[in-house]
């Protein structure tokens, strides 16, 4: 596929257009059965989700005519709920499961090139489902991972020695997140010496599992010592498979108590699961800020980012999964959909003809545009990618950011990547205190005049020996200024020359605050699998929750550096 990327793409587009020629959407643009690229590019416009909402709403309401796809829409896949601030409904068809399964089936053969012997042990993966909802027309609406875990592809998967997981399938399928997590952690502990890799979908999910162990190790040890499951686990489908493996083991219970009772959590992953070779988690994009915390808890284990996917489409693989997180590039698989790329210049999209997959240029950034078998045509995904090279004729991309701006007070525009960079720069000042930023989010506050950026930080003091300490007020003020120095020149001009933005403020919140934030999001329908901490918050109840947990506030003590540049 990668050697003949352009030919595969031409075939994929022709197949999509031929199958869906009679759909209302393609007929609206007078494609007249054409399947060639030139006609497609000339007649079909580039669209966003908002452009498609009327058609999607009709399908959701029960219209079964061929609106977007000639094949019946089998269900809707929902976005994470924190991407661009709203849950989107992505139509899908049954055969897309086969396409996604194909990509999953390639992960282990690739990994086996770098980490042999994975068939000699098990994987501890924390997987979760969300209970689905139905649209007014009766179609299921659920996250893509819930759809996959509940499919026969996953539930009836054949035995594969390379993909034996410690979690019983009923535990993964349990919609009660506490019961699911408890049993998955329990089974992971029971098989601790067989575990060769530990993971979750996102880095934040793995950190949530570690936090769960911190809170519930005593009860887990008690169950293991007694050989009986906690009465808190009430779901029979979850209790039954655990009964087959849970036998009294006082030695293991004492080991867990000895490791967890000290309050020292550095390297807890390798202490609990000593044969772990790597962490399998996504740590690209917004997840990059979890890397220091994961290193702390894992004792510096490698972190493998294996695939690039979304609710709209599964895109590709990381063919060097053991590379450093900062070097992760994904190779787009040309059979998954038809891919086009909108060039960026100066951070903005240029209104020119889209570039085909095989014709992108190394070093340039593009916005991803897809045409799928399920009925999305020239759809803007919103991901910004940078071309890093080619595998055969297929380009490799580094995920840069989501295109949506996070913070803006006036003419300034701060995106996720800039905010991440500023947090990383400022957090370097915490190293002498042996502290790190565990989690953060932001808000453009206009309650003051002028408005200003508010950054919420949750801090972790890394050890329990007394050597670590909470940073002083002076250090935190320097962190505020360091963040401002790292932001773009438009922001700094607004601060220094225009006076249109006030001093940046950091509000330190209590430990566990972002756990509460996640619980709140999940209670409102977010998927535990796909949940990502929003890097900017505006919803009043969330702001109220954050502000109620603030333990100290700090502002920049002086103006950042800014000098006017001569126009050229």
């Amino acid at each position: 596929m990668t050697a003949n990327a352009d030919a595969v793409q031409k075939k994929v587009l022709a197949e999509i257009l031929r199958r869906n020629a009679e759909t209302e959407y393609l007929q609206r643009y007078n494609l007249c059965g054409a399947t060639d690229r030139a006609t497609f590019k000339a007649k079909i416009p580039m669209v966003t989700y908002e452009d498609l909402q009327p058609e999607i709403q009709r399908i959701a309401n029960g219209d079964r005519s061929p609106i977007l796809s000639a094949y019946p829409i089998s269900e809707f896949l929902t976005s994470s709920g924190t991407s661009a601030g709203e849950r989107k409904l992505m139509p899908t068809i049954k055969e897309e499961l086969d396409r996604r399964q194909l990509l999953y089936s390639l992960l282990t053969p690739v990994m086996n090139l770098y980490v042999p012997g994975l068939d000699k042990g098990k994987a501890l993966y924390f997987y979760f489902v969300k209970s689905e909802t139905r649209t007014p027309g009766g179609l299921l609406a659920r996250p893509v991972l819930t759809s996959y875990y509940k499919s026969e592809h996953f539930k009836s998967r054949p035995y594969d020695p390379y993909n034996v997981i410690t979690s019983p399938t009923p535990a993964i399928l349990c919609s009660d997140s506490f019961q699911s997590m408890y049993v998955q952690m329990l089974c992971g502990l029971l098989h601790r010496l067989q575990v060769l890799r530990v993971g979750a979908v996102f880095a934040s999910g793995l950190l949530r599992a570690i936090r769960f162990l911190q809170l519930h190790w005593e009860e887990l040890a008690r169950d293991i010592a007694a050989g009986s499951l906690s009465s808190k686990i009430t779901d029979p489908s979850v209790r039954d498979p655990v009964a087959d493996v849970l036998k009294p083991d006082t030695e293991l219970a004492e080991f867990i108590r000895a490791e967890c009772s000290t309050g020292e959590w550095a390297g807890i992953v390798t202490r609990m699961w000593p044969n772990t070779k790597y962490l399998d988690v996504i740590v690209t994009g917004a997840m990059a800020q979890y890397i220091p915390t994961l290193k702390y808890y894992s004792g510096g284990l490698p972190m493998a980012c294996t695939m690039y996917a979304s609710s709209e489409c599964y895109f590709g693989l990381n063919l060097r999964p053991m590379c450093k997180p900062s070097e992760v590039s994904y190779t787009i698989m040309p059979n998954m959909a038809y891919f086009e790329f909108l060039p960026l210049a100066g951070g903005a999209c240029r209104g020119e003809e889209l570039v085909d997959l095989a014709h992108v240029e190394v070093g340039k950034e593009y916005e991803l545009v897809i045409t799928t078998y399920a009925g999305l045509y020239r759809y803007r995904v919103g991901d910004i990618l940078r071309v890093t090279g080619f595998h055969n004729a297929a380009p490799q991309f580094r995920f840069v950011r989501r295109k949506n701006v996070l913070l803006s007070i006036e003419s300034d525009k701060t995106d996720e990547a800039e905010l991440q960079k500023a947090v990383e720069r400022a957090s370097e000042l915490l190293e002498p205190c042996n502290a790190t930023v565990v989690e953060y989010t932001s808000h453009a506050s206009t309650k003051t005049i002028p408005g200003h950026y508010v950054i919420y930080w949750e801090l972790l003091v890394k050890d329990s020996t007394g050597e670590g300490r909470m940073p002083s007020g002076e250090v935190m003020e320097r962190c505020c200024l360091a963040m401002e120095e790292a932001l773009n020149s438009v922001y700094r001009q607004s601060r220094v020359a225009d006076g249109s933005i006030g001093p940046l403020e950091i509000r330190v919140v209590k430990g566990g605050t972002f756990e509460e934030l996640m619980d709140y999001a999940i209670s409102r329908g977010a998927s535990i699998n796909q949940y990502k901490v929003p890097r900017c918050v505006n919803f009043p109840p969330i702001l109220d929750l954050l502000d109620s947990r603030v333990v100290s506030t700090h502002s920049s003590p002086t103006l950042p550096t800014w000098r006017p540049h001569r126009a050229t």
Side-chain angles (χ1 to χ4, degrees), residues 490-512:
V490 176
Y491 171 89
R492 286 181 282 114
Q493 178 181 350
S494 298
R495 278 277 284 128
V496 176
D498 303 336
S500 57
I501 300 178
L504 182 143
E505 178 185 3
I506 292 176
R507 298 178 185 175
V508 179
V509 297
K510 295 177 182 176

Side-chain angles (χ1 to χ4, degrees), residues 41 45 78 117 139 201 253 265 268 292 301 308 316 375 406 455 464:
K41 289 173 178 285
T78 59
L139 286 174
V201 178
W265 295 98
I268 190 63
L301 284 172
Y308 172 37
L406 283 186
I455 316 297
S464 58

Side-chain angles (χ1 to χ4, degrees), residues 88-297:
K88 299 176 181 177
L89 296 175
M90 294 299 162
T92 190
I93 57 180
K94 281 186 177 180
E95 74 171 48
E96 279 297 296
L97 270 170
D98 298 327
R99 208 165 274 110
R100 291 195 287 271
Q101 180 61 41
L102 173 62
L103 205 59
Y104 281 128
S105 71
L106 293 172
L107 298 180
T108 301
V110 170
M111 184 60 74
N112 194 54
L113 296 173
Y114 296 89
V115 186
L118 294 178
D119 56 330
K120 309 303 181 188
K122 299 184 178 184
L124 169 54
Y125 287 154
F126 295 96
Y127 291 153
F128 304 94
V129 299
K130 181 190 177 298
S131 55
E132 60 262 0
T133 58
R134 287 192 180 272
T135 68
L139 286 174
L140 283 170
R142 53 191 180 181
V144 62
L145 291 170
T146 295
S147 172
Y148 175 67
Y149 298 146
K150 291 193 172 186
S151 72
E152 292 305 313
H153 286 80
F154 182 78
K155 291 192 297 183
S156 302
R157 63 193 184 279
Y159 173 78
D160 176 1
Y162 287 91
N163 284 298
V164 178
I165 58 177
T166 57
S167 300
T169 298
I172 294 171
L173 298 179
C174 178
S175 59
D176 184 308
S177 59
F178 174 85
Q179 294 188 57
S180 177
M181 178 75 86
Y182 191 93
V183 169
Q184 292 192 61
M185 181 63 75
L186 180 69
C187 291
L189 292 169
L190 293 174
H191 297 100
R192 61 179 290 269
L193 296 179
Q194 297 170 271
V195 169
L196 300 182
R197 55 202 192 272
V198 175
V201 178
F202 291 114
S204 53
L206 184 53
L207 290 177
R208 185 173 174 85
I210 293 169
R211 177 64 176 163
F212 189 91
L213 178 63
Q214 291 175 328
L215 294 174
H216 299 286
W217 62 265
E218 291 180 90
E219 193 167 1
L220 288 160
R222 201 158 49 239
D223 284 5
I224 290 170
S228 60
L229 190 57
S230 168
S231 60
K232 293 180 181 178
I233 310 304
T234 57
D235 188 331
S237 69
V238 175
R239 292 188 67 90
D240 293 345
V242 178
D244 297 334
V245 294
L246 182 58
K247 311 298 179 187
D249 190 336
T250 55
E251 183 179 351
L252 175 56
E254 284 305 313
F255 170 81
I256 294 168
R257 292 185 181 115
E259 290 294 328
C260 298
S261 61
T262 64
E264 176 54 68
W265 295 98
I268 190 63
V269 173
T270 45
R271 284 154 49 199
M272 284 291 163
W273 299 282
N275 297 315
T276 305
K277 298 185 178 187
Y278 65 91
L279 303 180
D280 192 340
V281 285
I282 293 173
V283 287
T284 51
M287 294 291 125
Q289 70 104 16
Y290 296 104
I291 293 170
T293 310
L294 282 175
K295 285 182 178 178
Y296 169 70
Y297 284 127

Side-chain angles (χ1 to χ4, degrees), residues 526-542:
S527 163
I528 190 171
N529 268 313
Q530 292 179 282
Y531 177 82
K532 299 182 285 288
V533 172
R535 293 299 169 224
C536 180
V537 294
N538 295 300
F539 191 47
I542 292 179

